[in-house]
Every structure is written in C-alpha cells, then in structure tokens.
Amino acid sequence: MVKSYDAIIVGAGPGGIFAAYEFKEKCPDMKILVIEKGRSIEKRQCPKRITGVCAHCQPCSITTGFAGAGAFSDGKLSLSPDVGGNLPEILGYDAATKLIHESDEIYLKFGADKSVYGVDKEKEIREIRRKAIGADLKLVECPIRHLGTEEGYKIYSKLQKHLEASGVELMFNSPVAQIHISDGKVTGVTTEKGDTFNSDRVIIAVGRDGADWFKDVCIDLGIETKPGTVDVGVRVEVRDEVMQFLNENLYEAKLIYHTPTFDDKVRTFCTNPSGEVAAEYYDDNLAVVNGHAYKAQEFKTSNTNFALLVSKNFTKPFKTPIEYGKMIAQLSNMLCGGRILVQTYGDFKRGRRTTDERLCRNNLIPTLKDAVPGDLSLVFPHRIMVDLDEMIQALDKVTPGIASEETLMYGVEVKFYSNKVIVDKNFETSIKGLYAIGDGAGVTRGLQQASANGISVARSIMASRS
Ligand SMILES: Cc1cc2nc3c(=O)[nH]c(=O)nc-3n(C[C@H](O)[C@H](O)[C@H](O)COP(=O)(O)OP(=O)(O)OC[C@H]3O[C@@H](n4cnc5c(N)ncnc54)[C@H](O)[C@@H]3O)c2cc1C
C-alpha cells in the first residue's frame, strides 16, 4: 500500500532539515517524510580527507546526504539578510531578518559557537571601509557566526538525532525521480528505486546537487523559471599575514567591485582564514574548487583562501546558467586530467603557464596538494580574466600583498545557481502544493538563508492547513 504523509520533503540539506524541525516543533503530530539522495550523516565519509585523493564516490559525500552541502562546509553563518540569498526580496527585509535570527537560535541551541565576528570592531571596520572606498570597492557588512567544519558536522548530527526522535521519517540513499501531479495539484513522489509516497504538500529542497534534475522537472511540469546568475571565477590563496587585519576584524571581508573595463560585478566570497583549498565533485565527476577552515588549532594552516567570483546575468535567448558554468569548469578539468588547476598570480599576469618547477619554487605552498599547475587563460574568456586581474589589483589597495607574484589562483570556482523557480511568498510554485526552497530553487545561496527558508516554508504549509 502506498504510504501517505502530511508533507514530504525532498532533500535533507539545511533547507529540508529546518522545515522538518519547524513542522515537528509546531505540529508534532504531522506525519513528515524526508527523502534524501545521499547517506545518513554518520555514513558520510569523504575518502579524500584520509587519502588526499578523490575516489569519485557516487553520490558524493561532500555534497549529498543528511545536512546536504552544509555537512562539510566551513559553516560560516551569515547573520545579515544582505548575504546568501533572495529571502528579503520574497518576504521583505524585516521578515527575512527575523527568520535569520530564528534559524540562528536553532544553531545555537544545537551547540553553535556563541561568538560573532564583525560586530564589535567599529574603529577597525571604519579603517577597512576607508581603504575600500579608496579602491572603489564596496564593503558589505555581515556579522558571521563560524561553526567550523567539524563543529558544523556535530551540530547537524545532533539535528539528525533530534528529527529521528521527533518522529520524522528519514529515508536515505533514495533519489526522488518523479513528482506526481493531478489537476494542477501535487499528489506525491516516486524514488529511483520505484517507491511511491503520497502527499498533497511536497517541498523540493534539493540544493545545487539536485538543481539539474529539478530544472528538467520544471520543464516537464511547466513550472515557470527565469535564468539565474552565473558566478564563475577562482579561489585565491595567500598567506594569513596578507589578510590578517581583515580576518581578525571581519572574519570574512565581503567586498564588491564593478570593474573599470567591463563594468562587471566581481565579489569576494567564502573566506577561510588558516584554511584549506578543497576540490568538490559533482555527479558527472566535474571537479570544482572550494575552501574550508577547521576550528581546531591542530588542523589550521598558515594560508587564507577566498573566492573571487564574476557575476554575469545573461539575457534572452540564454537559459542555461548551470551548463555555462559547467562548460568552463569542464575546460579546466580537461586540461588538468579531472583535477583542479592552479596558477601563480605572477604567471597569470604574464599570460604563461605555471609549471611544476615554478610551483615548486613558489614561496607559497598550495594547500590543495593534488592541484595541477596550468594556465587560466586557456579556460576563462578574456573578459573574466580582465575582471579577475582588476579585482586583485583593487584588493591589493585594501590589503597589500594580494597582488604578489606568489599568490595562488585555483580554477574553476563556480556557483551553480539554478534557474530561479518562480514562487510566491509562500514558496509555492505554479503547481498547487508543490513548494521549492533553498539553493536548488535559486532562492538561497548559503546555510543561514537556506535554513531560514526551511522554517518559513513549513510555516506557510502549516498556515494553509488550518
Ligand atoms: C564545500 C562547501 C562549503 C560551503 N561553505 C559555506 C559556508 O561557509 N557558509 C554558507 O553559508 N554556505 C556555505 N556553502 C553553501 C551551503 O552549503 C548551501 O548554501 C546550503 O547547504 C544550501 O542548503 P539547501 O538545503 O538548499 O541544499 P543542500 O545543502 O545542497 O542540500 C540538498 C540535498 O538534497 C539532496 N538531493 C538532491 N537531489 C535529490 C533528489 N532528486 N532526491 C532526493 N534528494 C536529493 C542532496 O543530496 C542534498 O543532500 C558551502 C557549500 C559547499 C559545497
């Protein structure tokens, strides 16, 4: 017999977890099923963390499983609605602020570090802003709570136990393949294994990993979408000393630049003081670069890494932002045998390949050990190369040393922002009872807004039942 639920959540990332949590907090009797493509959190193990080499697990333990892309993330919670998604546009600024505060309280309840970076250093922040203004950079103020990779993992482990104890059914290793619709209303889902579950409320919270699948679903079901932004660029690695003032006072300096030549938006993103550059792999073994930092002293490195992302919004007839980003990453993978490319800024400026020999004598040692020395100009369009170079020169005025010969640039960092699914303020799509939230719907881009989005969609559904 096909089982029925009050709500089905597809995807157990922060969005799905916080939706399930909110349902059980407010309506403990609701029958909730969470269907997740990846493994339960205790079974999520990335072999690369031990061997240093990616084993191309299917599905990837870094991006799938309980806690989604959040489980091994650096766990930087952005406490401002200005960062990490479009909740303010959909819900209004005040409502988004309140939700972010509420989801933050849940992280604190489950053990998040109480300290917040970027709130008590007014004098120092004014100094950073003054330099940023001098370089035509905008400093976005965003207090940060840093979970750290290992503490974040523990917090999500506690959340998994809590959901299980509250009666939420968690089904792992079960990618959802189909969404069923009848008379314009959702009726249930079927997994790849062929198991069907019924519900007239289905939340799609599949993150970036599931965005391709959901895009196809939207086409099949006629759900309206609009092209998302393409964010593509590099991860920059420098010594901690170069970023020390910014790291100590802001933890994460969010700086935005509109480049002089092309007027493109370039921003810094996801800074990891004393962190490591990491490769992450998507379903088709596509290697893209990322970074994280451990909280524990013994895992800290002497380098800071951060992303430099060029944001492009294309117009008609373009409608495939994810494919565009993937094609650029594929080019880099093709040149590097499926691994991440690294180039020194000195070689980048001169337009020549970084060789093994030059990397070996570079003053700065890469933290991503299996990165392949190469030439980013064979990967990026000219326009993106110019944007990155101009941004590095502007940043050098705020924190001198970034534009040094030894600075490392890893490619390709790409953020797969899905096409934005058109949703109303309840996050309901044009199909009645079908809700789309989080990164996979193009609504959010970070842990805190994805979590807040989970809370808000659960509330919308509970309100619609009463
Ligand atoms: C390495 C890394 C570091 C990051 N660091 C930070 C950070 O420091 N701060 C920050 O704010 N953000 C960070 N992020 C981004 C953050 O992790 C995401 O914004 C957030 O996890 C999005 O939450 P979500 O619930 O929308 O999706 P996800 O966390 O991606 O979860 C979606 C889940 O859906 C599952 N799924 C996909 N398709 C299906 C399907 N068909 N059926 C069933 N399940 C499916 C996936 O397996 C996944 O578990 C990082 C991301 C990565 C990869």
Side-chain angles (χ1 to χ4, degrees):
M1 203 182 77
V2 175
K3 277 178 143 185
S4 292
Y5 292 86
D6 293 315
I8 294 174
I9 301 167
V10 181
I17 294 170
F18 278 63
Y21 178 90
E22 184 65 10
F23 280 133
K24 283 293 174 183
E25 281 294 291
K26 301 286 158 52
C27 293
D29 294 336
M30 275 182 83
K31 249 182 109 187
I32 306 294
L33 173 66
V34 179
I35 310 179
E36 165 56 46
K37 170 180 177 173
R39 303 168 181 87
S40 57
I41 196 153
E42 66 283 1
K43 296 203 175 123
R44 288 184 68 171
Q45 271 157 10
C46 173
K48 186 162 187 250
R49 287 173 176 243
I50 300 158
T51 62
V53 181
C54 174
H56 300 290
C57 307
Q58 286 298 343
C60 168
S61 262
I62 294 286
T63 54
T64 71
F66 190 87
F72 298 111
S73 78
D74 184 45
K76 281 195 295 291
L77 300 178
S78 304
L79 303 182
S80 159
D82 293 323
V83 172
N86 305 325
L87 285 190
E89 283 136 61
I90 299 172
L91 298 172
Y93 198 85
D94 290 348
T97 308
K98 189 165 170 282
L99 276 166
I100 285 170
H101 176 71
E102 290 180 65
S103 58
D104 189 44
E105 288 293 321
I106 299 171
Y107 279 108
L108 284 170
K109 181 173 158 189
F110 283 84
D113 189 337
K114 292 196 173 39
S115 42
V116 173
Y117 296 85
V119 282
D120 55 348
K121 305 279 178 71
E122 214 171 300
K123 186 169 149 261
E124 291 82 355
I125 292 171
R126 282 174 75 88
E127 173 62 13
I128 296 168
R129 193 183 303 110
R130 192 185 60 74
K131 287 188 182 160
I133 293 167
D136 293 320
L137 287 157
K138 178 181 174 187
L139 178 68
V140 179
E141 275 169 58
C142 177
I144 300 277
R145 186 182 308 289
H146 182 215
L147 307 178
T149 307
E150 69 280 50
E151 293 306 316
Y153 182 86
K154 285 183 201 156
I155 291 168
Y156 289 117
S157 300
K158 286 188 209 157
L159 273 160
Q160 182 182 300
K161 284 206 179 92
H162 174 87
L163 293 185
E164 282 163 347
S166 321
V168 173
E169 280 184 49
L170 296 172
M171 180 178 288
F172 295 108
N173 307 306
S174 305
V176 166
Q178 278 172 284
I179 300 173
H180 302 295
I181 309 292
S182 173
D183 291 334
K185 295 181 195 156
V186 73
T187 57
V189 300
T190 296
T191 64
E192 274 182 14
K193 293 177 196 157
D195 299 319
T196 297
F197 304 94
N198 287 343
S199 180
D200 56 4
R201 304 284 198 290
V202 174
I203 302 170
I204 305 297
V206 291
R208 284 179 213 155
D209 184 272
D212 270 357
W213 167 75
F214 192 45
K215 185 193 78 187
D216 294 341
V217 168
C218 288
I219 294 168
D220 285 352
L221 301 181
I223 297 170
E224 238 188 297
T225 60
K226 60 180 174 190
T229 305
V230 177
D231 266 1
V232 68
V234 290
R235 189 150 283 259
V236 174
E237 185 165 47
V238 294
R239 284 160 206 269
D240 280 341
E241 297 89 298
V242 173
M243 294 286 286
Q244 195 172 358
F245 193 68
L246 270 64
N247 292 347
E248 280 175 1
N249 295 302
L250 291 166
Y251 189 87
E252 166 139 19
K254 292 186 184 292
L255 291 153
I256 299 177
Y257 191 47
H258 284 92
T259 57
T261 304
F262 294 114
D263 196 25
D264 284 338
K265 180 178 162 190
V266 189
R267 63 189 173 103
T268 60
F269 173 77
C270 183
T271 304
N272 296 295
S274 311
E276 271 176 20
V277 176
E280 78 189 41
Y281 293 86
Y282 284 83
D283 270 353
D284 39 7
N285 282 342
L286 185 74
V288 293
V289 66
N290 212 308
H292 56 85
Y294 291 99
K295 198 108 176 155
Q297 201 58 40
E298 67 261 36
F299 297 124
K300 288 193 185 296
T301 70
S302 312
N303 295 354
T304 292
N305 67 72
F306 59 90
L308 282 188
L309 295 174
V310 179
S311 298
K312 290 296 305 160
N313 283 303
F314 293 98
T315 48
K316 268 187 182 171
F318 179 82
K319 48 183 171 224
T320 49
I322 294 178
E323 282 70 13
Y324 182 89
K326 278 190 175 170
M327 277 197 173
I328 292 188
Q330 271 160 6
L331 261 180
S332 156
N333 281 203
M334 188 197 290
L335 292 169
C336 297
R339 287 186 280 159
I340 297 297
L341 188 155
V342 62
Q343 187 173 24
T344 64
Y345 181 63
D347 288 334
F348 177 92
K349 266 190 319 191
R350 290 179 187 84
R352 68 184 186 194
R353 179 188 175 175
T354 292
T355 57
D356 277 322
E357 193 266 323
R358 271 202 287 275
L359 188 62
C360 204
R361 67 176 144 87
N362 195 46
N363 293 336
L364 180 62
I365 310 290
T367 53
L368 182 64
K369 297 297 173 207
D370 62 0
V372 177
D375 185 352
L376 289 164
S377 71
L378 297 174
V379 174
F380 287 126
H382 169 72
R383 180 173 185 141
I384 291 178
M385 293 290 286
V386 172
D387 288 339
L388 292 172
D389 194 19
E390 288 177 349
M391 176 63 160
I392 286 185
Q393 288 175 46
L395 285 175
D396 197 61
K397 293 182 191 152
V398 179
T399 179
I402 293 221
S404 302
E405 299 271 321
E406 68 171 26
T407 293
L408 295 171
M409 299 166 81
Y410 297 83
V412 168
E413 177 128 357
V414 50
K415 297 298 162 211
F416 295 119
Y417 303 135
S418 340
N419 279 339
K420 289 190 181 116
V421 180
I422 309 281
V423 288
D424 64 13
K425 63 178 182 7
N426 296 315
F427 302 96
E428 194 169 14
T429 65
S430 48
I431 306 286
K432 192 160 171 36
L434 184 67
Y435 298 80
I437 64 163
D439 286 21
V443 175
T444 66
R445 295 189 293 273
L447 296 168
Q448 193 70 275
Q449 285 214 27
S451 309
N453 199 180
I455 299 176
S456 60
V457 76
R459 287 184 186 164
S460 299
I461 291 176
M462 288 185 282
S464 73
R465 293 172 80 237
S466 52

